[in-house]
């Protein structure tokens, strides 16, 4: 069973007013650029991961924050969630087409930053 919001493209010529506080696109931008949202999207760029794999790949994130971030990104239609009816249930997350589209420039930004940084000395 796969869960995720249906996200279609806006009608031709119709744009969101992202500077208005009631704009729904503003919520999506807030979720993507949140402290953990960007790391979830970058972690899922290659393939789907189970919850514990995501938690281990993003150092410093608590289970609560990961669950909240994933819930918001699923609701926004950026991430899909698949639950396998096993005991305990196995839950896998991955990027939707919309999520890949949004995550691509974030990955490029991440890659540019890490390529330009000087190597850290270990002390």
């Amino acid at each position: 069973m796969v869960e995720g919001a249906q996200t279609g493209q806006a009608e031709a010529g119709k744009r969101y007013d992202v500077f208005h506080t009631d704009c729904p696109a503003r919520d999506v931008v807030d979720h993507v650029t949140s402290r953990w949202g960007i790391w979830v999207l970058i972690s899922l760029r290659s393939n789907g991961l189970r919850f514990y794999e995501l938690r281990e790949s993003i150092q410093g994130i608590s289970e609560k924050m990961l669950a909240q971030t994933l819930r918001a990104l699923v609701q926004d239609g950026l991430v899909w969630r698949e639950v396998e009816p096993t005991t305990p249930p196995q839950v896998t997350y991955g990027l939707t087409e919309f999520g890949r589209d949004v995550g691509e420039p974030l990955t490029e930004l991440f890659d540019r930053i890490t390529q330009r940084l000087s190597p850290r000395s270990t002390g």
Side-chain angles (χ1 to χ4, degrees), residues 6-41:
Q6 293 294 331
T7 307
Q9 297 203 348
E11 294 175 30
K14 183 177 181 182
R15 307 254 329 160
Y16 287 105
D17 180 6
V18 295
F19 294 102
H20 192 279
T21 57
D22 294 335
C23 178
R26 198 168 176 164
D27 288 336
V28 175
V29 170
D30 286 345
H31 295 152
V32 168
T33 60
S34 70
R35 178 172 182 189
W36 300 112
I38 192 169
W39 298 116
V40 169
L41 293 176

Side-chain angles (χ1 to χ4, degrees), residues 43-50 53-54 80 91-95:
S43 293
L44 292 173
R45 69 183 170 209
S46 300
N47 58 331
L49 295 173
R50 297 201 22 216
E53 292 171 322
L54 265 171
W80 54 261
V91 183
T92 305
Y93 297 89
L95 294 180

Side-chain angles (χ1 to χ4, degrees), residues 35-115:
R35 178 172 182 189
W36 300 112
I38 192 169
W39 298 116
V40 169
L41 293 176
I42 289 172
S43 293
L44 292 173
R45 69 183 170 209
S46 300
N47 58 331
L49 295 173
R50 297 201 22 216
F51 184 89
Y52 78 90
E53 292 171 322
L54 265 171
R55 189 185 69 227
E56 289 177 5
S57 73
I58 306 171
Q59 293 185 4
I61 192 169
S62 68
E63 285 190 24
K64 178 183 176 183
M65 285 310 304
L66 179 56
Q68 288 177 356
T69 302
L70 285 167
R71 193 175 306 117
L73 295 173
V74 167
Q75 185 176 353
D76 292 339
L78 296 162
V79 171
W80 54 261
R81 177 180 188 264
E82 184 177 353
V83 180
E84 294 183 39
T86 59
T87 304
Q90 293 183 3
V91 183
T92 305
Y93 297 89
L95 294 180
T96 63
E97 183 179 338
F98 181 37
R100 284 189 301 276
D101 193 38
V102 169
E104 187 175 323
L106 298 175
T107 298
E108 290 175 15
L109 175 65
F110 175 77
D111 290 343
R112 286 180 185 178
I113 290 170
T114 56
Q115 289 170 4

